[in-house]
Amino acid sequence: MAIIRPWAAALAFKPPYPWGPMLSYLARRAIPGVEVVSQTVYWRSIRVDGGDAILDVRLDGDGTSLSVSCDRPGGPDLDRLRRQFDLDADPAVIDSHLAADPLLAPLVARHPGLRVPGAWDPFGLAGRAMCLKEKHPFSTSYHTRFPEYVSARFPVPTSWGYSYVRWFHKYSGKVMVATPSMRAELAEHGFNNVVSWTRGVDIDLFNPSRRIEEGQPGDPFEGLPRPIFLNVGRVAVEKNIEAFAELDLPGTKVIVGEGPQLAELKRKYPKVKFLGARFNEDLATCFASADVFCFPSLTDTFGLVILEAMAAGTPVAAFDAPGPRDIIPGSNSGVISDDLAQACKDCLNLDRQTTRAYAEGYSWRACAEAFIENLDPLPVPERKRFWQKIRLRRRKKKFPDTKIG
């Protein structure tokens, strides 16, 4: 008997790698207690309309589409699923989207086949290899401090990590980074093709109007002592979330997100409130309803959640590290300090309207225009002067100077 699902959909599947390797990759990154990956099927626990549900994703028999089902009406966010499974990675689909975009179309016309490898995971490596083989120009971005990230998990020197990322980005026309401090840091490690590419924030979604005060209907922190100190992100060791959980603060510390360190932190810090993953309007409401956002990470190169919190009117406390030090100082929208607890307390005195106004300066259009400009590969280094010297020496040998008189 066939199982009748309350919600089901089919998604076209034509990425440049087969379903088997995709599942193998997802299995290596699976979140315990949240994701289960077999040789043929992907399952995940999700939230749908405020309730728990199970997502089921498998390849149809003809291999051209994904069968997606959910045991709760409403179903998951399909756009998010497309991104997770790289369903738009088919070159024909990418090119059609680029050609239809008024900003990107002229660039694509100048550089047919231009690509931007996203990372040094298997897919990023495959994209890089393809570009080099086909002699396509490409740019890359550096949005995680990969050497420090690896050293936080394994006994590997950061020097090994930097040797690897220099190799990965070596033939990139431009390596895009989010902040001036990260640009300077990579220059110190031997990178010479680094350019700036700041981030943008959705100021309509992340908005102070979504704030729900204590005791009002829909309060995401109902029953929790105030003030609310919030952290949002992947719950993993490289995010340094334990530094936040250990802080001695008034009110309640709240963590939103999932990840491999979630179960461990729940056991160690029973007084911290863990809300699991939140998305879209639910997440924006959490940002706006918190009193302070705490960002303890030392490995992020920017921290987009900083802008999302500020756009919601919530001041940000962070360590003095790359990313926060490029966004927060002088903004009157947050505090950076080596004393993270004091920074959190100081943020309680900051004005939420000022915080929102500062975030409005990070528009998506400016971010997109900078990205498009950075896609143009750097010109070939100028060698004219060198060859002029060689020709001049040859002339002198052929026609030696003679004295008259």
Side-chain angles (χ1 to χ4, degrees):
M1 178 182 293
I3 298 176
I4 300 176
R5 294 280 187 171
W7 184 95
L11 299 175
F13 183 75
K14 295 192 298 182
Y17 29 80
W19 182 238
M22 166 69 81
L23 288 177
S24 297
Y25 173 70
L26 292 173
R28 291 195 297 272
R29 301 185 61 183
I31 302 170
V34 176
E35 295 174 299
V36 177
V37 184
S38 75
Q39 293 183 341
T40 58
V41 185
Y42 171 85
W43 295 280
R44 182 185 175 97
S45 173
I46 62 174
R47 298 279 292 182
V48 177
D49 295 332
D52 294 324
I54 298 296
L55 173 70
D56 180 300
V57 183
R58 61 187 69 205
L59 191 64
D60 276 350
D62 60 3
T64 61
S65 64
L66 291 182
S67 175
V68 183
S69 59
C70 180
D71 61 356
R72 187 181 180 91
D77 182 341
L78 288 181
D79 287 337
R80 188 163 179 264
L81 272 180
R82 297 189 70 83
R83 291 193 297 271
Q84 180 173 359
F85 292 103
D86 274 1
L87 298 185
D88 292 323
D90 175 28
V93 175
I94 294 173
D95 290 341
S96 65
H97 282 298
L98 294 178
D101 189 286
L103 287 176
L104 292 173
L107 181 69
V108 175
R110 292 201 305 273
H111 302 290
L114 184 143
R115 299 287 182 265
V116 185
W120 33 83
D121 58 26
F123 306 136
L125 288 169
R128 177 185 182 275
M130 184 276 291
C131 289
L132 292 175
K133 180 179 179 180
E134 301 297 329
K135 296 183 171 57
H136 285 313
F138 67 93
S139 297
T140 53
S141 67
Y142 187 90
H143 48 80
T144 298
R145 299 176 76 195
F146 179 76
E148 288 80 4
Y149 174 102
V150 174
S151 290
R153 289 173 171 266
F154 309 103
V156 177
T158 56
S159 59
W160 292 11
Y162 277 108
S163 295
Y164 179 75
V165 295
R166 275 195 303 270
W167 168 83
F168 180 88
H169 295 284
K170 180 178 179 180
Y171 296 107
S172 171
K174 294 180 181 178
V175 181
M176 293 177 268
V177 297
T179 62
S181 64
M182 184 51 55
R183 185 174 181 174
E185 183 172 314
L186 289 186
E188 291 178 359
H189 287 285
F191 290 74
N192 56 12
N193 54 343
V194 184
V195 296
S196 295
W197 175 36
T198 190
R199 299 293 186 264
V201 63
D202 186 342
I203 59 177
D204 294 323
L205 176 61
F206 299 98
N207 196 295
S209 65
R210 297 187 185 276
R211 183 174 176 83
I212 301 176
E213 298 293 345
E214 182 179 6
Q216 296 299 311
D219 178 11
F221 310 123
E222 182 179 1
L224 299 180
R226 309 298 165 119
I228 298 296
F229 295 91
L230 176 69
N231 174 269
V232 174
R234 178 173 166 80
V235 185
V237 63
E238 70 274 4
K239 299 297 183 180
N240 199 30
I241 295 175
E242 191 164 5
F244 167 60
E246 289 178 341
L247 296 180
D248 182 12
L249 294 170
T252 307
K253 291 170 286 187
V254 178
I255 294 175
V256 172
E258 298 172 341
Q261 201 183 17
L262 181 60
E264 175 192 346
L265 294 183
K266 279 185 174 181
R267 288 194 303 269
K268 292 180 68 173
Y269 303 99
K271 293 183 178 180
V272 176
K273 183 66 175 179
F274 295 87
L275 297 184
R278 292 290 185 271
F279 305 102
N280 301 324
E281 289 80 5
D282 288 344
L283 177 60
T285 300
C286 288
F287 272 117
S289 302
D291 297 292
V292 174
F293 182 78
C294 183
F295 185 77
S297 176
L298 300 171
T299 60
D300 284 75
T301 61
F302 187 86
L304 184 58
V305 287
I306 294 177
L307 288 185
E308 292 172 344
M310 289 180 172
T314 303
V316 179
F319 283 120
D320 184 4
R325 76 164 63 111
D326 294 285
I327 305 172
I328 297 175
S331 68
N332 295 319
S333 304
V335 178
I336 62 171
S337 173
D338 292 333
D339 186 343
L340 191 58
Q342 188 59 49
C344 287
K345 295 172 186 176
D346 291 343
C347 282
L348 292 171
N349 301 319
L350 296 179
D351 182 67
R352 297 183 68 90
Q353 291 183 347
T354 300
T355 302
R356 163 68 180 188
Y358 178 72
E360 289 176 346
Y362 286 85
S363 73
W364 273 118
R365 181 170 184 86
C367 174
E369 289 176 344
F371 175 76
I372 293 169
E373 181 180 349
N374 290 340
L375 290 181
D376 276 319
L378 292 172
V380 177
E382 181 62 63
R383 298 183 179 181
K384 183 177 178 182
R385 189 171 299 174
F386 171 78
W387 291 112
Q388 282 180 339
K389 290 180 179 180
I390 296 294
R391 286 196 294 268
L392 184 59
R393 288 181 181 177
R394 288 179 176 175
R395 283 200 195 107
K396 286 186 176 181
K397 289 181 179 180
K398 190 172 183 179
F399 306 105
D401 293 337
T402 56
K403 294 182 180 180
I404 301 176

